[in-house]
């Protein structure tokens, strides 16, 4: 193979929202950088970041009950909710900055204002929601949340979900009017298009990265195959980011960095029910999250969601979890088996043994046919008609399995940035809360791999141009939060009527 000794020194693997975000941040911070992007598919943002492959929820912790667990003493743990909510405000600021400058040239809005609600029934769940609400409204970031146990009020908020209920069970809901639905695929493609036009950026679609090898001079040799011509190519890079989604684990392993030891992956696939009846779609305007079943993984919280995809209003229900041995939706059934190595076999076996509830849940989900799925939908929308709904396959998630000193291995549901100690390579593992917090996650990559630059006044100033609240708390500083939200709402046009999209 020929070694292409070019001037490029930053390689980004994958053209999903993570690599795209990091590429834009790096190009803004290091205008002379040579950035090469390799993507195995022929278009950007076609895996988890694509609109129908995820739920498009701008995760702000307004409605996701799994972000606010109840502690043993009965109080509500808000730490995760506060962190995620603040991180979403950071993402909105970055997208507003790009939009304001015309760097994201979408014809249709990529983010829309859609109420976020939680809806629960049964005395225990109602008590939990009330307690959660009372704890949350103490913080400015959640203070606009509304709570009701009044069926009439809840019917006004979400009529579709209340029709046909007998009223026997106590019911409660919270509502946040500033929730959002986001087309992460569009944002990704917008950022990649912007990068493509910049000097010093090379975007290679249909190129699969197959190997990453550290060179004696400290650089990385990245081996790729052009999937159209079958030709191999090698590129040298000073810094590599593995933003390959479900494909990241394999490449991290190939890099041979000691920090990768003990990591494994467990794939969870997903499905939606998608409504095809325009009248039904028009009668629901919210993202309404319920409570996950016992034993289910946190990302399987059921929700009935208004989506805005390319200007079209849609309605989905799900996700239904499933099991597939693929690590990418467009991957291979051998992915799981090929990911098992000496260093992770014990953590994987041990995590499997400790998560029998999850295994049982996934088996039950896989065995469900359309009728079973439909009867679950009827718990949320009692008067739903089966002929109005069709099945849609969602993206693939690879949950992290991590070596755990004492206990062998543990299954983790969040994301984790794994970096080499010299800061020349970084990878993102895991999936949730994902795209909504992509900007903060990529700032974490910069903190781990470009710590001196990040601490410099020059970078601080540039980052503050992109993210005005950078370095300050949106959780404790109400004045800054209000100013930030007002600005992003205005630039991202979040107050526009959904029935009249741009
Ligand atoms: C069912 C589901 C629902 C979700 N809902 C939400 C939600 O509501 N809100 C939210 O914020 N997040 C949600 N997420 C999470 C979110 O979709 C992901 O966190 C995010 O899209 C991950 O972006 P990424 O760039 O890391 O990965 P991806 O978008 O998967 O991109 C990775 C890219 O790398 C490419 N690639 C892989 N291997 C190679 C290789 N060897 N060489 C070259 N290219 C390669 C892939 O083709 C792909 O294009 C959801 C995810 C799923 C699956």
């Amino acid at each position: 193979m020929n070694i292409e000794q070019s001037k490029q020194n930053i390689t980004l693997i994958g053209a999903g929202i993570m690599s795209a975000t990091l590429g834009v941040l790096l190009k803004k911070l290091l205008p002379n950088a040579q950035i090469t992007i390799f993507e195995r598919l022929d278009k950007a943002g076609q895996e988890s970041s694509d609109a129908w492959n995820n739920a498009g929820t701008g995760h702000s912790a307004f409605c996701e009950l799994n972000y606010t667990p109840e502690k043993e003493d009965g109080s509500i743990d808000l730490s995760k909710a506060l962190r995620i909510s603040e991180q979403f405000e950071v993402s909105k600021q970055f997208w507003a900055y790009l939009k304001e400058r015309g760097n994201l040239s979408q014809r249709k809005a990529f983010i829309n204002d859609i109420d976020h609600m939680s809806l629960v029934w049964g005395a225990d769940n109602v008590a939990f929601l009330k307690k959660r609400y009372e704890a949350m409204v103490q913080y400015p970031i959640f203070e606009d949340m509304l709570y009701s146990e009044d069926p009439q009020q809840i019917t006004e908020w979400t009529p579709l979900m209340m029709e046909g209920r007998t009223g026997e069970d106590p019911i409660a809901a919270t509502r946040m009017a500033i929730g959002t639905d986001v087309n992460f695929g569009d944002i990704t493609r917008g950022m990649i298009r912007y990068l493509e036009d910049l000097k010093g950026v090379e975007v290679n679609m249909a190129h699969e990265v197959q190997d990453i090898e550290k060179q004696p001079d400290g650089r990385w040799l990245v081996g790729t195959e052009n999937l159209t011509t079958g030709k191999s190519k090698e590129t040298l890079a000073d810094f590599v980011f593995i933003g390959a989604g479900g494909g990241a684990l394999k490449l991290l392993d190939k890099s041979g960095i000691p920090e990768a030891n003990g990591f494994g992956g467990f794939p969870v696939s997903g499905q939606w029910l998608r409504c095809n009846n325009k009248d039904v779609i028009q009668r629901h305007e919210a993202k309404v999250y319920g409570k996950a079943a016992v034993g289910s993984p946190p990302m399987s919280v059921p929700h009935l969601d208004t989506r805005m995809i390319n200007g079209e209003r849609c309605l989905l229900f799900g996700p239904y979890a499933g099991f597939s041995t693929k690590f990418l939706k467009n991957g291979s059934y051998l992915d799981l088996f090929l990911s098992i190595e000496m260093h992770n076999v014990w953590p994987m076996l041990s995590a499997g043994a400790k998560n029998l509830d999850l295994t049982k849940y996934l088996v039950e989900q896989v065995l469900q046919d359309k009728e079973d799925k439909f009867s679950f939908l009827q718990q949320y929308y009692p008067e739903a008609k089966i002929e109005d709904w069709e099945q849609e396959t969602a993206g693939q998630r690879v949950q992290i399995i991590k070596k755990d000193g004492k206990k062998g291995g543990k299954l983790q549901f969040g994301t984790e940035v794994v970096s080499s100690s010299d800061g020349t390579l970084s990878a993102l593992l895991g999936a949730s809360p994902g795209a909504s917090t992509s900007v903060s996650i990529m700032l974490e990559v910069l903190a781990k791999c470009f710590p001196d630059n990040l601490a410099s006044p020059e970078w601080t100033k540039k980052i503050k141009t992109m993210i005005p609240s950078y370095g300050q708390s949106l959780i404790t500083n109400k004045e800054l939060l209000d100013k930030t939200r007002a600005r992003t709402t205005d630039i991202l046009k979040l107050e526009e009527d959904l029935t009249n999209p741009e």
Side-chain angles (χ1 to χ4, degrees), residues 13-19 38-41 43-50 53-59 184 207-210 243-248 250-251 268 270-272 287 289 303 319 328 330 394-397 415 428 430-437:
I13 306 175
I17 195 159
M18 299 297 171
S19 288
F38 293 111
E39 166 56 53
R40 67 193 285 271
L41 300 178
K43 244 173 110 184
Q46 295 298 290
E47 275 285 343
S48 291
S49 301
D50 203 28
N53 287 344
N54 61 68
T57 304
H59 285 306
F184 296 112
H207 277 68
E208 187 173 74
V209 174
Q210 296 179 334
K250 183 166 124 194
L251 294 172
V268 178
Q271 259 195 348
W272 313 114
K287 279 178 174 275
Y289 277 57
H303 43 103
L328 290 161
N330 298 287
Q396 194 72 0
R397 302 190 203 232
T415 48
L428 180 71
S432 297
S436 301
T437 56

Side-chain angles (χ1 to χ4, degrees), residues 49-162:
S49 301
D50 203 28
W52 280 107
N53 287 344
N54 61 68
T57 304
H59 285 306
S60 304
F62 299 154
C63 55
E64 307 86 341
L65 302 180
N66 55 317
Y67 293 171
T68 50
E70 197 166 354
K71 293 198 253 185
E72 269 181 17
D73 66 3
S75 62
I76 304 289
D77 182 355
L78 289 184
S79 51
K80 185 173 184 181
L82 288 166
R83 190 180 72 244
I84 291 172
S85 207
E86 183 180 46
Q87 289 181 341
F88 188 61
E89 297 297 334
V90 167
S91 293
K92 280 196 294 181
Q93 290 176 70
F94 183 62
W95 300 331
Y97 162 84
L98 295 178
K99 187 171 177 208
E100 212 175 21
R101 275 158 189 75
N103 298 160
L104 285 177
S105 54
Q106 267 77 7
R107 231 167 19 91
K108 307 277 183 203
F110 57 79
I111 178 166
N112 286 280
D113 166 25
I114 294 180
D115 291 359
H116 279 193
M117 289 180 58
S118 304
L119 179 74
V120 296
W121 48 88
D124 288 352
N125 290 339
V126 169
F128 167 74
L129 191 67
K130 184 159 191 228
K131 201 156 48 165
R132 176 186 190 267
Y133 159 77
E134 282 166 353
M136 290 181 99
V137 288
Q138 306 301 319
Y139 289 87
I141 206 158
F142 300 125
E143 72 183 4
D144 296 329
M145 188 178 280
L146 302 175
Y147 174 84
S148 180
E149 292 176 24
D150 174 9
Q152 223 174 327
Q153 173 66 83
I154 301 173
T155 304
E156 267 175 44
W157 290 346
T158 177
L160 207 68
M161 298 176 82
M162 293 299 283

Side-chain angles (χ1 to χ4, degrees), residues 196-243:
E196 259 170 341
D197 288 342
L198 297 180
K199 199 163 158 258
V201 180
E202 185 188 306
V203 180
N204 301 281
M205 291 295 158
H207 277 68
E208 187 173 74
V209 174
Q210 296 179 334
D211 208 3
I212 310 173
E213 207 183 297
K214 186 90 173 185
Q215 299 303 289
D217 67 0
R219 289 187 292 175
W220 292 95
L221 189 66
V222 180
T224 58
E225 184 186 335
N226 179 330
L227 299 178
T228 314
T229 63
K231 281 200 177 140
S232 301
K233 168 169 135 176
E234 289 187 328
T235 308
L236 278 166
D238 304 322
F239 171 70
V240 174
F241 173 65
I242 308 176

